[in-house]
Amino acid sequence: MDLSTLNEVQREAVEAIDGPILVVAGAGSGKTRVLTHRIANLIENYDIFPSGIMAITFTNKAANEMKTRIESLIGPVTSQMWVGTFHSICVRILRRDSDRIGYTSDFVIYDTQDQKALLKMCYKELNIDDKRTPLKTSQFKISAAKNDMLTPDLYEGRYGSDFREKGFIELYHLYQSKLKQNQAMDFDDLMLKTIELFKQNREVLTYYQNRFKYIHVDEYQDTNRAQYTLVQYLAAKSRNLFVVGDADQSIYKWRGADIRNIREFEDDFPGARIIKLEQNYRSKKNILDLANSVIANNPNRRDKNLWTDKEPGEKIGYYMAYDEKDEAKFVVEKIRTFTREREYKASDCAILYRTNAQSRSFEDNLMLNGMPYKVIGGLKFYERKEIKDILAYMKLVVNPSDDVSFQRVVNEPKRNIGAKTIEKLQAYQLERDCSLLECLPFVSEIEGIGAKASKGLTEFYGIIDRLKSKIETDFVTQIFDELLQSIGFIELYEAEKSVEADARIDNIYEFRTVIEEFEKRNEEPNLRDFLAETSLRSDQDNIEDQEDGVLLMTLHASKGLEFPVVFLVGLEDTLFPSFRATDDPEELEEERRLCYVGITRAEERLFVTHARNRNQYGRFEARHASVFLSEMDKALLENFSESRDSMNFETEKPEKKHNYFAQNALKSKQSFFGKPSASNAVTATDVSDEAERRYGAGTKINHKVFGPGLVITVDSDGETLTVAFDSCGIKKIHSGMAPIKRID
DNA sequence: GGCACCAATTCCTTT
DNA sequence: AATTGGTGCC
């Protein structure tokens, strides 16, 4: 094992073997190197069995990367090691022993949507009005309670005397008992139930304590109370706990992360060693200096000095846009220049924003220019209706107790089963004390269910029952194919003959590919594990390395990643920092850390942008610059804006009146830039005629990225075409810029 | 029970 | 702007 590639401090961390160790790892300081080398070192030089090592990461992607990198150091001995996220490791533990806490090993995992559906049922039963108490509020409150490790009983013990909490306590109790009835756990339960298992079964805990002699936790600053406790349990015996984190990168307080976990590590583990990695290997000096100038404004921060011996590099590009369209135009223009000059590939560039909704303007502009891109997060693949429906069927096949999935798909496709029929079923269910699905063999006994509904229910039961018998013998893809056949989704969507329905069909086939890949990856693939893996996939897990395309994602999703070129966009007050942070100093500090995370993702080039106006809720509103811009060291910025005084953030005030002359001047300038370069003397009408002639409505075209399509309309500007593509539906593209050709 | 149309609401971040 | 849920009619 070669440790000579590490710097002195890194080597010190790698060679600290026993006892509690905290590595304070600044952004880009090589913490993954340290983690992988330490584990490789344990195995190779200290004869620790791989089976005695656990490493907890933040995403599955990080886990896989870690495994690969350890293997490249010492060869393939890592399969015995447990490397995964908190959630996936908990599932692994629970699958073995969940029967001890009243769950079968086939329990399913409820995502946010399922959780909502279950809460809705609870509301109905308790007569709670979702206008007065929005589902989201209860959902959030339950999650907060669980992050704080308060079970319904504990919560009642603490807040029971408060009459205002009475309703919530009742709801929480019911929600939790319904989860169990459905043999389901929500995300937070995975941790809580594991802790419960350990608490009630000391021999189970002892087994894991004896087995895992060396425990590692990455991104320790973002652990919540429950995760913290779990780690305490696991490491209590060996005390060989190695955690890595950076308080400046703590960005998940709203999800229960407690920054104190890292700040008070020394108090929790007296005699702990603390090692600080302060040399940054990722970013050029200007970028690092900019990051430091921003984070220095956080008052409650332990001073830390992240440094680099790299050259300053280019200055940080700054652009004040007219609106979000102009902002996107600037960013895409820069990326096009980079790719044209072969300075960077599209996939070297990342656009980072505060909220998912911001991706829109960038997608539009990238599309217009025929530039490949990939949006991470947002409406996730697995949250699309058609996929969720198929997943619900699958969940039901594995776990007949799942009433939430039952209600989701019993009438999907239409089987003449409505609210009335469900009510009848539920009444019968109470009598029999079983799940909804389990009532179905006795449909004929239930009064009030008509012939039509009865037929539908029997049909539905047949589908699930038939698949259930194949679960042990057939491949997941075979089960999928048969399921698809029996529910006839493809034919159903085909009959709709709409672009949306066609997209759904594509998604369904895409989903089949996902299953195929799952089967290739696993030695003993089964439906149960596939469902768990699907539920626990993170956004980052969807980033594929080989694809070329600009990456678009939220700042949160960018955590732990790095890119040669970063565009940090939408630096506007009430957007970033969020409007919720305006009068909460703690929130503002977290937003600032988020800004710090964003800046430090960049290796070579960084651009920061904001818009003076923005469309929100369909309204066009004036905005002003983010406080973070005013905190940035001006000497590091290079102004790309048209207005020269745009960098006086402190003096900038929102405009009272729109300056129409200025706006019009800017607008005409924009469309000037947008025109195809060849025609320097043509008027707008000429261009329109030109495009009309070349790509009039009804023209068949071929697009380099999206393939064949049909032009539906030509916009009044004469340049923007609305095209229906076979591959991806309706898109707007730019006739002068997009890589398209007529097909005659 | 299904479908069409209208109104309200949403945009903070996620395993 | 766009999606989602509710209401009322067939």
Side-chain angles (χ1 to χ4, degrees), chain A residues 701 708-713 721-725 729-733:
Chain A
I701 60 160
L710 185 73
V711 177
I712 304 171
T713 55
L721 311 176
T722 308
V723 184
F725 286 105
I730 292 179
K731 307 268 187 220
K732 278 188 188 294
I733 59 162

Side-chain angles (χ1 to χ4, degrees), chain A residues 351-501:
Chain A
I351 304 172
L352 309 182
Y353 36 76
R354 178 69 233 280
T355 67
N356 282 307
Q358 285 167 262
S359 74
R360 186 65 176 274
S361 55
F362 295 97
E363 286 186 70
D364 284 350
N365 202 300
L366 286 160
M367 191 104 64
L368 217 59
N369 285 295
M371 171 125 329
Y373 67 89
K374 180 149 195 184
V375 185
I376 309 300
L379 207 216
K380 287 175 210 95
F381 182 69
Y382 299 99
E383 285 167 10
R384 286 163 207 233
K385 185 185 175 301
E386 61 277 17
I387 305 300
K388 279 286 286 182
D389 285 346
I390 294 177
L391 282 169
Y393 273 101
M394 289 176 152
K395 281 185 185 172
L396 213 45
V397 170
V398 170
N399 172 24
S401 307
D402 188 349
D403 288 351
V404 171
S405 295
F406 179 93
Q407 291 200 43
R408 186 184 172 99
V409 291
V410 68
N411 199 30
E412 192 71 53
K414 301 280 174 279
R415 295 188 185 93
N416 298 308
I417 298 149
K420 283 271 144 58
T421 309
I422 301 280
E423 266 171 43
K424 296 264 161 26
L425 271 177
Q426 281 171 330
Y428 185 77
Q429 171 186 31
L430 284 179
E431 253 172 65
R432 266 198 101 83
D433 191 29
C434 65
S435 75
L436 290 172
L437 185 75
E438 286 159 348
C439 292
L440 297 193
F442 313 99
V443 159
S444 53
E445 292 175 20
I446 309 172
E447 272 174 62
I449 292 186
K452 269 209 275 183
S454 179
K455 185 171 166 273
L457 288 170
T458 311
E459 212 176 274
F460 180 72
Y461 186 77
I463 294 171
I464 306 290
D465 198 43
R466 222 170 329 122
L467 290 170
K468 197 165 187 60
S469 64
K470 310 209 161 161
I471 206 169
E472 299 293 333
T473 51
D474 287 25
F475 285 111
V476 186
T477 36
Q478 287 173 296
I479 296 175
F480 172 87
D481 290 340
E482 182 159 349
L483 173 65
L484 201 56
Q485 185 98 84
S486 29
I487 57 183
F489 271 12
I490 299 289
E491 294 79 3
L492 204 79
Y493 286 129
E494 265 173 0
E496 250 184 65
K497 291 213 188 306
S498 71
V499 187
E500 291 84 3

Side-chain angles (χ1 to χ4, degrees), chain A residues 48-54 80-81 210-215:
Chain A
I48 310 295
F49 288 120
S51 59
I53 295 171
M54 179 186 284
Q80 294 293 305
M81 244 165 46
N210 288 338
R211 169 165 176 187
F212 293 108
K213 295 263 168 31
Y214 291 88
I215 294 172

Side-chain angles (χ1 to χ4, degrees), chain A residues 322-354:
Chain A
Y322 169 68
D323 62 7
E324 79 277 0
K325 288 194 184 102
D326 184 38
E327 182 183 45
K329 200 170 147 238
F330 170 77
V331 169
V332 176
E333 195 64 46
K334 272 273 166 290
I335 298 173
R336 291 181 72 209
T337 313
F338 284 142
T339 51
R340 200 182 321 122
E341 319 260 302
R342 307 234 175 272
E343 244 179 298
Y344 296 103
K345 288 180 297 180
S347 55
D348 290 334
C349 305
I351 304 172
L352 309 182
Y353 36 76
R354 178 69 233 280

